[in-house]
Amino acid sequence: MSAKYNLRDSRTTIDFSIPPAATVTPDTATTTPGAAAEPPLPTSLPLTCSSKSVVYFTRGNRVHFKNMQSNEDIGQLFKLQDKDGNLQLLQCGGAQNSDVLAISTTKGIIQLWDVRAKKMTVSWSTKGVGAMQFNGSVLTVGGIKGTLRFYDTRIATTTPTTTSNPGTSKPALKMKSDPRKLNRHQSRITALAWNEPGKLLASGDDSGVVYCWDNREKVPLDVGEFVQRRKKIQHSASVTVVNWCPWQPKLLGTGDDNGTLRLWDIDTSDTRSNALNPGKLELGSRITGLHFSPHCKEMITVHGAKPTSPGVPDRNDSDSETASTPSLSTLSAISLSINSHMRSRGAFDTSNSIVAHSFPTLRHIHTLQAGSNVIMGSVMNANFTKAILAVPDESKLKVYDVWGKLKLRRTESFMGNIR
């Protein structure tokens, strides 16, 4: 069923809160030049949904879960230890390993959890995580310095770790990355996505660059639109979302901080530009989610606050990594005032909304305002009928009906009436 008829607020909410953000004091930044600072919160929030429709989310530094297909109570998986920093990202395994949950922290620690046993199975350290995505049993990690690494979660090496008792040690499982390491990005990786066959990877970064990779190659594919005689996928602001279409495996969607949505046909055999036409929408508000429907030729974009508002730093600024970030309450206040101004002029406004679009025409289908507070992220349930939106200012996850499966009515054959 189209979002035109099904998009609505389900009135279901879940208590939710984000962990404390990593902060860098001015003294540290000026007195220790060159020192590695803790990364800011990534584009994605600690929110994920498994192929079994189990949503994993945070309440501070505790990870909780809720089965969206049953009436079971919310459960707690674990509480992160203080020594590991603050929770940063959650990522479920795919259909083949749906009981595996990967988490990353502000100290660059990655842990794998067996959600059935409620037990951590592997832990290792990195230089900082910007985005994570599973491809089968392989966890792809995009770093804050632009490096892509690949970890086969079926393989772990055992190394001795000393305990507090001298002369004793206990084994600890640690992960070793694949020798293949991709270094083309020059800034923090903010978004990752594998297509359905698991052969193509899309990665976006803070500078607005998106690269597409063949799983067997070490250099990015020559795709995009022509920029100075070279093909390139380039946004004017930080990339916030990348996602592949489930019914067209080489169709890629990308979105950014300024609210620009682009669609691309990732086909290296085509010497022309890979940018689709129509394939670009200026939606005006930060894109925090992009989801394609497996039921019909539609997609939705989920939006947060408007960019370039008073008090909101411009992500095109070369010093955006060190710019001060306004609080969520400030963003909400700004967004609310802009919404009132836009409505008074009768203009189309997408901030803090779910917007449905048709494909391939990109025709606007329906817009649902999800409130006045900033939407910071979203995930879909397993059958793509519901969207779960994160609204930290309200300390809530809000659930919306989006698409419905087409129900065929059974009608009695006219032959049955013949006696």
Side-chain angles (χ1 to χ4, degrees):
M1 184 186 297
S2 170
K4 179 178 181 179
Y5 308 104
N6 211 61
L7 184 57
R8 65 176 69 89
D9 188 349
S10 72
R11 305 294 180 185
T12 302
T13 61
I14 301 171
D15 291 339
F16 157 82
S17 63
I18 60 175
T23 57
V24 181
T25 62
D27 291 340
T28 305
T30 54
T31 58
T32 56
E38 273 193 298
L41 276 174
T43 304
S44 301
L45 287 177
L47 173 68
T48 187
C49 186
S50 75
S51 60
K52 297 180 179 179
S53 275
V54 179
V55 177
Y56 296 88
F57 57 95
T58 57
R59 291 174 178 173
N61 274 325
R62 299 174 186 268
V63 175
H64 292 259
F65 58 92
K66 167 68 176 175
N67 191 326
M68 302 301 295
Q69 293 181 333
S70 69
N71 293 322
E72 296 177 7
D73 292 335
I74 294 172
Q76 178 175 309
L77 183 60
F78 70 92
K79 180 182 183 298
L80 187 68
Q81 297 183 23
D82 293 339
K83 65 180 179 63
D84 293 330
N86 294 320
L87 286 167
Q88 187 182 45
L89 276 176
L90 306 178
Q91 184 61 51
C92 282
Q96 303 300 320
N97 55 345
S98 58
D99 292 329
V100 175
L101 177 71
I103 70 114
S104 70
T105 78
T106 53
K107 291 190 175 180
I109 295 172
I110 299 176
Q111 297 176 356
L112 299 182
W113 283 77
D114 182 334
V115 297
R116 280 185 172 272
K118 294 186 177 182
K119 179 181 179 182
M120 184 183 70
T121 57
V122 189
S123 176
W124 71 98
S125 295
T126 68
K127 294 181 180 180
V129 179
M132 298 190 300
Q133 189 69 227
F134 274 98
N135 182 27
S137 60
V138 176
L139 179 66
T140 306
V141 177
I144 60 174
K145 294 185 178 180
T147 301
L148 284 166
R149 295 179 184 271
F150 305 87
Y151 300 88
D152 191 333
T153 59
R154 298 168 297 183
I155 304 172
T157 58
T158 303
T159 57
T161 303
T162 58
T163 64
S164 56
N165 298 323
T168 64
S169 65
K170 63 178 181 180
L173 290 176
K174 293 191 176 182
M175 193 66 63
K176 188 174 183 180
S177 70
D178 189 288
R180 182 174 54 130
K181 183 172 66 172
L182 307 178
N183 290 307
R184 187 61 64 95
H185 286 280
Q186 300 299 311
S187 62
R188 178 172 62 114
I189 294 175
T190 54
L192 292 173
W194 285 94
N195 73 342
E196 190 61 34
K199 295 181 179 180
L200 296 177
L201 169 68
S203 56
D205 66 25
D206 244 340
S207 68
V209 174
V210 177
Y211 289 119
C212 295
W213 312 82
D214 186 297
N215 196 21
R216 301 159 294 184
E217 304 293 337
K218 293 185 178 180
V219 295
L221 299 176
D222 184 25
V223 293
E225 61 184 350
F226 284 104
V227 179
Q228 296 178 349
R229 299 183 180 181
R230 296 182 63 183
K231 280 189 176 182
K232 194 174 186 181
I233 297 179
Q234 175 73 62
H235 281 256
S236 62
S238 175
V239 177
T240 52
V241 292
V242 293
N243 204 357
W244 298 89
C245 176
W247 26 264
Q248 193 168 329
K250 291 186 178 182
L251 174 61
L252 174 68
T254 61
D256 66 25
D257 248 343
N258 285 341
T260 302
L261 171 70
R262 298 296 307 268
L263 294 177
W264 313 85
D265 179 19
I266 307 304
D267 183 2
T268 55
S269 64
D270 192 344
T271 57
R272 299 170 298 175
S273 169
N274 296 94
L276 295 185
N277 185 23
K280 183 177 182 180
L281 289 176
E282 297 292 350
L283 296 168
S285 301
R286 185 175 192 262
I287 300 175
T288 60
L290 170 61
H291 309 287
F292 292 90
S293 170
H295 312 296
C296 55
K297 295 293 183 69
E298 294 179 1
M299 59 187 174
I300 60 168
T301 48
V302 182
H303 298 268
K306 285 183 172 294
T308 63
S309 303
V312 180
D314 186 357
R315 296 302 295 268
N316 288 323
D317 187 354
S318 60
D319 197 30
S320 61
E321 285 289 337
T322 57
S324 59
T325 303
S327 65
L328 293 176
S329 57
T330 303
L331 286 172
S332 295
I334 294 169
S335 179
L336 180 60
S337 64
I338 292 175
N339 288 347
S340 301
H341 175 67
M342 294 292 286
R343 280 194 294 268
S344 67
R345 296 180 59 186
F348 178 68
D349 182 29
T350 61
S351 58
N352 306 318
S353 298
I354 304 173
V355 185
H357 318 266
S358 66
F359 182 86
T361 63
L362 299 189
R363 178 178 57 86
H364 172 256
I365 296 174
H366 186 45
T367 297
L368 178 64
Q369 188 77 22
S372 58
N373 289 311
V374 176
I375 299 171
M376 297 295 288
S378 64
V379 294
M380 299 294 294
N381 67 340
N383 59 13
F384 280 74
T385 57
K386 297 179 184 295
I388 300 97
L389 276 54
V391 188
D393 265 355
E394 298 180 24
S395 298
K396 296 291 183 183
L397 297 177
K398 294 184 174 182
V399 182
Y400 290 82
D401 295 323
V402 181
W403 292 294
K405 293 183 178 180
L406 183 63
K407 296 181 180 180
L408 298 177
R409 293 183 179 180
R410 291 186 177 181
T411 57
E412 185 178 358
S413 171
F414 75 95
M415 295 293 291
N417 296 327
I418 299 176
R419 299 291 183 181

